[in-house]
Amino acid sequence: MRRNYEIEVCANSLESAWAAQAGGADRVELCAGMPEGGTTPSIGTIRLACERLSLRVHPIIRLRGGDFLYTKEEIEIMEEDIRQAVAVGAQGVVVGCLCADGRLDLPSLRRLIDAAEGRSVTLHRAFDYVLDPFRAIDELIDLGVERILTSGQAPTAMQGVAMLKQCVEYAGDRIKIMVGCGVNEVNIATLAQETGATAFHFSARIQKKSAMQVCNEALYMGNKGVDEYATELTSVEKVKTIIQALCGQQPFGL
């Protein structure tokens, strides 16, 4: 019998998205720039994921790391990114923007939602930076947003359990509260029990060593000290293990 939980995997590549599907996820949040918290993936990645996978593909639309206070030009860029993502088959998008005073930037959000042309919209963890989360929930419901990804305004979901529980209760069946950040096989069942949430977001990544036979570790293309001969990718087995820990039984599709 199909589980009663909604599982989203944060996938940083086509390979990770495939692993999420093979592991039994319902949907992927397709991202690039994971060290920055997730940025907009390439249009080629979105297109191939939509063409080759059967699960739902929701790319994050975030043109840069850092805060969620965007200029007019940045909003225009994200609008265009959404239009292109929709054109190649994305079933939804993940967005978020704030005002300088910690409120949701409602005019900009409306523009991004309009650009999605009726596709599913998730508000990402910009929610964790708003001053009044309950007001924000009401505003997002009015905008037609389908779900909110949140750690309960804490560094990890386990640290935000109390706020997550309040958000789940306040939202009721009006909008989906999706728990994310630090969710794994050890804590997911506890998070479900303590918060009442039925939607979860995790990456389930492991490190994959490069197949390069010649390496020059004295050189680096990004930040010094980062292992550039390894890649973090979603693991099929880890996705299955986390789902099994949540469901307490064989995960769907295993």
Side-chain angles (χ1 to χ4, degrees), residues 114-187:
D114 287 346
E117 298 180 351
R119 273 63 172 186
S120 175
V121 175
T122 300
L123 194 287
H124 57 50
R125 289 188 62 221
F127 178 84
D128 288 326
Y129 294 83
V130 299
L131 286 179
D132 187 341
F134 304 108
R135 173 181 174 177
I137 288 172
D138 288 334
E139 291 172 336
L140 292 168
I141 291 167
D142 289 342
L143 285 173
V145 171
E146 188 170 337
R147 67 184 61 79
I148 300 167
L149 172 60
T150 174
S151 62
Q153 300 200 315
T156 69
M158 282 301 296
Q159 292 170 284
V161 162
M163 175 59 74
L164 286 167
K165 184 175 189 296
Q166 291 180 58
C167 288
V168 170
E169 292 175 348
Y170 185 78
D173 60 2
R174 299 180 299 157
I175 193 171
K176 181 78 71 174
I177 301 297
M178 181 167 59
V179 175
C181 193
V183 175
N184 56 45
E185 66 274 18
V186 174
N187 60 31

Side-chain angles (χ1 to χ4, degrees), residues 218-230:
L219 301 178
Y220 51 92
M221 298 297 295
N223 293 326
K224 186 176 181 179
V226 173
D227 185 354
E228 296 186 340
Y229 293 97

Side-chain angles (χ1 to χ4, degrees), residues 206-221:
I206 59 172
Q207 195 171 78
K208 179 181 178 180
K209 296 299 292 183
S210 170
M212 284 293 298
Q213 297 176 0
V214 178
C215 302
N216 186 342
E217 296 183 359
L219 301 178
Y220 51 92
M221 298 297 295

Side-chain angles (χ1 to χ4, degrees), residues 25-245:
D26 301 296
R27 182 179 59 250
V28 291
E29 180 195 63
L30 198 59
C31 301
M34 295 304 297
E36 297 180 291
T39 55
T40 308
S42 73
I43 197 67
T45 302
I46 300 170
R47 178 190 293 275
L48 289 180
C50 292
E51 289 177 353
R52 298 184 182 182
L53 301 175
S54 59
L55 83 177
R56 297 178 65 82
V57 176
H58 290 195
I60 191 170
I61 305 298
R62 183 175 177 236
L63 81 168
R64 58 167 173 78
D67 64 31
F68 305 104
L69 180 63
Y70 297 111
T71 65
K72 175 179 177 292
E73 290 75 18
E74 287 177 322
I75 294 297
E76 290 174 353
I77 291 168
M78 289 191 287
E79 279 184 294
E80 181 58 27
D81 285 340
I82 290 172
R83 292 188 191 100
Q84 291 192 30
V86 168
V88 299
Q91 294 97 340
V93 293
V94 183
V95 301
C97 40
L98 303 179
C99 298
D101 61 2
R103 293 177 295 112
L104 292 174
D105 181 351
L106 297 178
S108 294
L109 281 171
R110 286 191 187 96
R111 288 176 61 177
L112 299 181
I113 291 167
D114 287 346
E117 298 180 351
R119 273 63 172 186
S120 175
V121 175
T122 300
L123 194 287
H124 57 50
R125 289 188 62 221
F127 178 84
D128 288 326
Y129 294 83
V130 299
L131 286 179
D132 187 341
F134 304 108
R135 173 181 174 177
I137 288 172
D138 288 334
E139 291 172 336
L140 292 168
I141 291 167
D142 289 342
L143 285 173
V145 171
E146 188 170 337
R147 67 184 61 79
I148 300 167
L149 172 60
T150 174
S151 62
Q153 300 200 315
T156 69
M158 282 301 296
Q159 292 170 284
V161 162
M163 175 59 74
L164 286 167
K165 184 175 189 296
Q166 291 180 58
C167 288
V168 170
E169 292 175 348
Y170 185 78
D173 60 2
R174 299 180 299 157
I175 193 171
K176 181 78 71 174
I177 301 297
M178 181 167 59
V179 175
C181 193
V183 175
N184 56 45
E185 66 274 18
V186 174
N187 60 31
I188 192 168
T190 299
L191 285 166
Q193 181 177 5
E194 295 293 325
T195 67
T198 59
F200 296 90
H201 169 104
F202 52 82
S203 62
R205 291 196 303 273
I206 59 172
Q207 195 171 78
K208 179 181 178 180
K209 296 299 292 183
S210 170
M212 284 293 298
Q213 297 176 0
V214 178
C215 302
N216 186 342
E217 296 183 359
L219 301 178
Y220 51 92
M221 298 297 295
N223 293 326
K224 186 176 181 179
V226 173
D227 185 354
E228 296 186 340
Y229 293 97
T231 307
E232 289 198 339
L233 296 171
T234 296
S235 160
V236 176
E237 292 74 20
K238 198 168 180 65
V239 173
K240 289 180 178 180
T241 298
I242 296 172
I243 294 174
Q244 184 172 1

